[in-house]
Amino acid sequence: MGARNSPLGWLRQSFPVDGEVLREMSSEPIPNHLKRWWYALGGTPAYLFIVLAATGISLTFYYRPSPEVAYESVGRITNEIRFGWLIRSVHHWAANLMVLSVILHVIRVFFTRAYRKPRELNWMFGVGILIVIFTFGFTGYSLVYEQLSYWAAVVGTNIAEATPIVGPYLATFMRGGVDITSNTLTRMFVLHIGVLPTVIVILLGLHIVQIRLHGVSIPDGEAKKDAGKTFPFFPNHLMTELVIGLSLTILLVVLALIAPAPLGEPANPNVTPEHIKPEWYFFAMFRWLKLTSFKVGVLGTMGFVGIFLFWPFIDRLIERAFPGKGVAMWIGVLGVLTLIAFTIWEAFV
Amino acid sequence: MESVKFKQVVIAILGFILLGAFVVVGYVESMRRIPDAKPRIVVSAENEKCLNCHEQQSNARTVAQQWRESTHAKRGVGCLECHEAEASDADSFTHYTETIATVVTPGDCSRCHPAEFEQFQRSHHADAGNILGSLDNVLAEVIEGHMPVVHGKRLASPAAVSGCKQCHGSVVTPLLDENGDKTYRDSGVLVLDHNTWPNTGIGRLNPDGTKGSCAACHNRHYFSAAQAREPDDCGKCHLGPDHPQYEIYRESKHGINFIAHKDKMNLDAQPWIVGEDYVAAPTCASCHMSATPNQPVTHDVGERISWTLRPPISEKVDAVALKQGKDVMPWKERRANMTDVCVQCHSQQFVGSFYKQYDDLVNLYNDKFGRPATDIIKSLKSNDLITGDIAFDDKIEWTYFYLWHHEGRRARMGAAMMGPDYTQWHGMFEVADRFYMEFVPEAREAVEHGRESGKQAGADAAQDVIDKIMARDEHLWIQGKMSDEERAAREAASDAFRKRYAGSE
């Protein structure tokens, strides 16, 4: 049998890709500073995304997106389906860790100024991913249809309603009417399992393509230390990612065992809970909205998101106005401290 | 970052830790109860032989299927573990290669459940079969039924066989032929006397000398604890005009809560502890038998009962035993046991006040109707104004029976289990109606009849008993002898009521 007729030959014929190119792609030299764990936070969300997709698909086998049976189906997953509690708890904790790791990744990118030219667009893709992840969180816990889900949906859509000009239309679209009904739940479900995954896959793809096109940015300090030294992606960096993946899997399983995903009281539109609190990553925004009027709160949030999205360009303007003063850095410190302070404030009130 | 070799070691260590975490997950999952999961059952080679035949036969297929879903099946307790018998047993027979018995007795169950057996045998439930000679027994065998002697053998009363004994229990005996020998079917199966079997009465007297039937509550062949915790399970016997505990429960807040929240009752839990495994409502079992954080489950249903509500005049539940010189659990201890159940949901003050209400109602019934009616009946009998040796041949005996056995019990049981309609309209109202409109007039009639028949002294004595009772404060109203103050108070209340609802003066 000639080489062209062997299974390998057939495969090469079907996928006419140069092996050398593949080898080169997988052996991309990685800048030496990535040997430090702090710089591996970008891979963590990627791994968690795979976990979330796998557990999410498993949950979809049993979840039923209708107000009459949604809560009951989550209860069934938790109490009756084999390993249902594990899958749901891993999904719950992976989602929380995803939010945490992305926030840490953004902070790292911000303070190492990795968004500078020519990577402005990649920063914007990253901010887009962050917004999508928050939306994932919001739609995800709405699906449980417990009291928190229902009243979070009420508050969330009321916030959307306060958006200038388009607010009422946006809220009506989100709810599928004037109230939270089965239409709302169906919309949350479609967003959570269809629209958002598609959007995040596109954004992640663009984010990674950008990294490959521009290479990993080298922070000022690190550049001096490592002076252009690199190490191969395979096996060195892949092993680092494997260590992170294994550690995260252990962490997720342990968290699922000691703190399984909670299931509160079923949604009751007639009973407003004494304390409505969203998930922890919305605490800062929630506190901000409590401090201001709804309109000011929403406008302020929109302004914050706008500044955040276009930060690479704003940073350049600040640098031009105050060269070498580190003003942008101090604005970042102030922003992070404010977010932490608001989060803690909301958590303890 | 460290060398590739170091990372390989770290990956290996993490791999082992992950493996350990998965082992823990597996353990947690195996300990979890999955409601719809098919149980893994254990069938021994001997039991396999039973199942091979019986699962093919229509008369036992469902029985085998029920057993397959039972906890017994999961624990390897099969057909022979329960039906196996000694050749010397009164009801044993050889079935193919095995010596077995049809009737599984509490003695058989005690091989694995000795504590439950011991508790049950000393309980009032176990003595339910000892009703021979009671008024209920006279009704079923003489008044409702008939027991003629045919070929020198007294036949059983169908009313007792299909009625009383299905709850109280029969004396299970093999069917004997003309020569007094046991009879067998062609298959070798011993035939049991149809007047005594089938029967799952709670006080059944079994061939092995044990009392009762575990299947009375734990229906064969599921033998389910959850089923025994259902009020319906007790309702097979504890219902009807003379002891409507089931209906009273359904009417009570307890029963209403149970029906509304049955899905939260966690009836399958082991152990089933009120306040821990369930909080929605108590069932009959919760109060009378099941575990609390302070008490284990008991199969002696009397351990939490302080009054006996069955006789014409209620007594504390230990009174008869104490009169007989027996050493039994004092009623105060039993009430403390029940209070421990109550306080899992209610405050001590709430429970104390409930017991005061309950005691007051029982005392009212006893003092105003139960004891007076009994004194009058005793006087009529002792003075030969009605027959003393034949029950139910005088109308007033029926009236008296209705008064305490039906209506009087309903009133007392209604108060015991918080069924207000049974205490009032099905209870005290009917007791009063029966006493004033039928019982007392019939007693006076018997006295008059006696006087006309020349029994002057007896009539005077009985008359004296009736008059003294009716001259008491609580009965004066019917003779129009109310005090002026009381009459004025009643009239004022009546006027106010009319104004409130009818608008008339």
Side-chain angles (χ1 to χ4, degrees), chain B residues 178-200:
Chain B
E178 302 84 37
N179 305 318
D181 295 327
K182 293 175 188 171
T183 52
Y184 298 87
R185 291 174 61 196
D186 294 342
S187 59
V189 174
L190 176 77
V191 180
L192 295 166
D193 186 342
H194 64 269
N195 288 317
T196 69
W197 179 264
N199 187 288
T200 51

Side-chain angles (χ1 to χ4, degrees), chain B residues 371-383:
Chain B
R371 194 168 290 113
T374 304
D375 288 346
I376 290 171
I377 275 286
K378 277 183 183 168
S379 169
L380 294 177
K381 282 185 179 172
S382 64
N383 288 299

Side-chain angles (χ1 to χ4, degrees), chain B residues 239-461:
Chain B
L239 84 173
D242 59 334
H243 42 45
Q245 291 102 330
Y246 178 71
E247 293 93 327
I248 293 168
Y249 172 80
R250 293 285 296 259
E251 179 187 298
S252 73
K253 285 286 186 195
H254 289 161
I256 293 164
N257 263 16
F258 173 75
I259 291 162
H261 307 291
K262 192 182 169 187
D263 55 334
K264 297 175 192 157
M265 288 298 291
N266 206 8
L267 288 165
D268 278 314
Q270 280 299 356
W272 193 55
I273 300 175
V274 61
E276 292 181 9
D277 293 310
Y278 64 105
V279 296
T283 69
C284 314
S286 307
C287 298
H288 293 286
M289 301 176 78
S290 300
T292 75
N294 311 310
Q295 290 182 78
V297 62
T298 177
H299 282 69
D300 180 350
V301 283
E303 284 182 4
R304 299 172 190 173
I305 291 176
S306 44
W307 280 104
T308 170
L309 305 177
R310 292 179 312 110
I313 306 161
S314 277
E315 292 180 297
K316 290 292 172 2
V317 77
D318 57 353
V320 172
L322 290 176
K323 278 179 218 160
Q324 292 169 347
K326 290 181 187 165
D327 184 23
V328 293
M329 185 188 282
W331 74 267
K332 283 186 179 168
E333 193 179 330
R334 296 171 198 249
R335 181 166 288 190
N337 289 342
M338 184 64 95
T339 301
D340 169 56
V341 181
C342 306
V343 296
Q344 301 308 319
C345 301
H346 305 287
S347 70
Q348 283 281 1
Q349 193 265 334
F350 183 102
V351 179
S353 296
F354 155 74
Y355 266 119
K356 188 76 180 72
Q357 293 177 352
Y358 171 34
D359 290 347
D360 287 349
L361 187 285
V362 175
N363 288 327
L364 170 72
Y365 160 81
N366 273 353
D367 296 340
K368 189 166 182 181
F369 301 108
R371 194 168 290 113
T374 304
D375 288 346
I376 290 171
I377 275 286
K378 277 183 183 168
S379 169
L380 294 177
K381 282 185 179 172
S382 64
N383 288 299
D384 201 24
L385 300 174
I386 59 172
T387 55
D389 53 345
I390 306 168
F392 296 107
D393 63 331
D394 293 289
K395 186 169 188 307
I396 195 168
E397 287 178 294
W398 291 79
T399 307
Y400 174 61
F401 190 72
Y402 272 116
L403 189 148
W404 70 266
H405 186 271
H406 284 44
E407 294 131 7
R409 281 186 184 175
R410 293 203 292 260
R412 289 173 277 172
M413 289 172 180
M417 293 166 56
M418 290 150 292
D421 192 56
Y422 276 86
T423 301
Q424 166 61 14
W425 295 114
H426 294 300
M428 292 305 285
F429 170 78
E430 294 198 32
V431 168
D433 175 42
R434 189 78 66 185
F435 184 80
Y436 291 118
M437 298 298 127
E438 292 182 39
F439 183 80
V440 174
E442 284 168 13
R444 292 194 192 282
E445 202 177 301
V447 168
E448 281 311 308
H449 186 69
R451 196 167 276 131
E452 286 164 12
S453 312
K455 297 171 184 168
Q456 191 62 44
D460 288 346

Side-chain angles (χ1 to χ4, degrees), chain A residues 24-347:
Chain A
E24 199 185 312
M25 280 173 76
S26 65
S27 310
E28 161 121 350
I30 306 290
N32 232 29
H33 73 275
L34 276 199
K35 282 187 177 177
R36 292 182 186 87
W37 294 97
W38 176 243
Y39 290 98
L41 276 168
T44 303
Y47 170 76
L48 289 171
F49 178 73
I50 294 166
V51 172
L52 283 164
T55 50
I57 289 167
S58 307
L59 291 172
T60 315
F61 292 156
Y62 294 99
Y63 177 74
R64 296 164 72 190
S66 152
E68 292 80 25
V69 288
Y71 181 83
E72 189 192 310
S73 71
V74 177
R76 192 165 166 253
I77 289 167
T78 312
N79 301 317
E80 296 179 26
I81 306 297
R82 277 264 171 246
F83 295 105
W85 62 276
L86 180 71
I87 302 286
R88 185 171 162 244
S89 299
V90 166
H91 193 77
H92 168 84
W93 281 113
N96 278 283
L97 290 181
M98 174 77 142
V99 174
L100 184 69
S101 62
V102 169
I103 289 172
L104 290 174
H105 178 63
V106 169
I107 291 173
R108 199 276 296 163
V109 171
F110 185 93
F111 287 107
T112 55
R113 302 179 79 194
Y115 51 74
R116 284 168 303 165
K117 197 173 180 182
R119 297 185 176 84
E120 300 95 329
L121 192 60
N122 212 19
W123 164 267
M124 293 167 83
F125 287 144
V127 173
I129 290 170
L130 184 66
I131 293 168
V132 171
I133 284 169
F134 279 176
T135 318
F136 255 121
F138 174 71
T139 53
Y141 70 72
S142 295
L143 298 182
V144 180
Y145 218 64
E146 57 182 15
Q147 277 287 68
L148 169 69
S149 319
Y150 182 85
W151 291 98
V154 171
V155 174
T157 52
N158 284 349
I159 292 169
E161 198 161 23
T163 311
I165 306 164
V166 295
Y169 305 104
L170 185 63
T172 307
F173 175 76
M174 282 171 75
R175 294 185 196 120
V178 289
D179 292 314
I180 306 290
T181 61
S182 57
N183 289 346
T184 323
L185 194 58
T186 320
R187 273 152 212 249
M188 298 290 180
F189 184 65
V190 170
L191 276 173
H192 194 79
I193 70 149
V195 177
L196 293 175
T198 311
V199 172
I200 206 166
V201 163
I202 292 168
L203 287 174
L204 275 175
L206 290 168
H207 198 64
I208 291 165
V209 164
Q210 282 269 312
I211 294 168
R212 297 307 304 266
L213 289 176
H214 296 300
V216 177
S217 75
I218 301 171
D220 296 340
E222 306 289 359
K224 280 175 205 149
K225 266 188 264 172
D226 292 320
K229 280 189 228 161
T230 61
F231 67 99
F233 176 85
F234 184 85
N236 302 46
H237 191 64
L238 195 67
M239 279 199 182
T240 305
E241 294 295 339
L242 201 58
V243 168
I244 291 169
L246 276 168
S247 304
L248 282 170
T249 312
I250 293 167
L251 181 64
L252 288 171
V253 172
V254 170
L255 283 169
L257 280 167
I258 60 174
L263 186 60
E265 289 291 308
N268 186 346
N270 300 319
V271 178
T272 315
E274 216 169 301
H275 300 288
I276 306 176
K277 275 211 197 290
E279 289 286 355
W280 63 270
Y281 40 88
F282 289 121
F283 276 8
M285 190 173 90
F286 203 54
R287 174 50 45 189
W288 164 246
L289 288 169
K290 282 184 186 172
L291 290 175
T292 60
S293 72
F294 234 45
K295 279 263 186 258
V296 173
V298 171
L299 282 171
T301 307
M302 287 173 71
F304 177 79
V305 173
I307 291 168
F308 198 53
L309 185 64
F310 296 107
W311 182 252
F313 308 103
I314 296 167
D315 177 39
R316 211 179 302 162
L317 292 175
I318 295 170
E319 192 56 37
R320 257 185 231 153
F322 310 99
K325 302 264 190 220
V327 174
M329 213 44 42
W330 285 112
I331 292 173
V333 170
L334 192 69
V336 171
L337 287 177
T338 309
L339 287 174
I340 292 172
F342 274 29
T343 302
I344 294 171
W345 187 0
E346 182 58 32

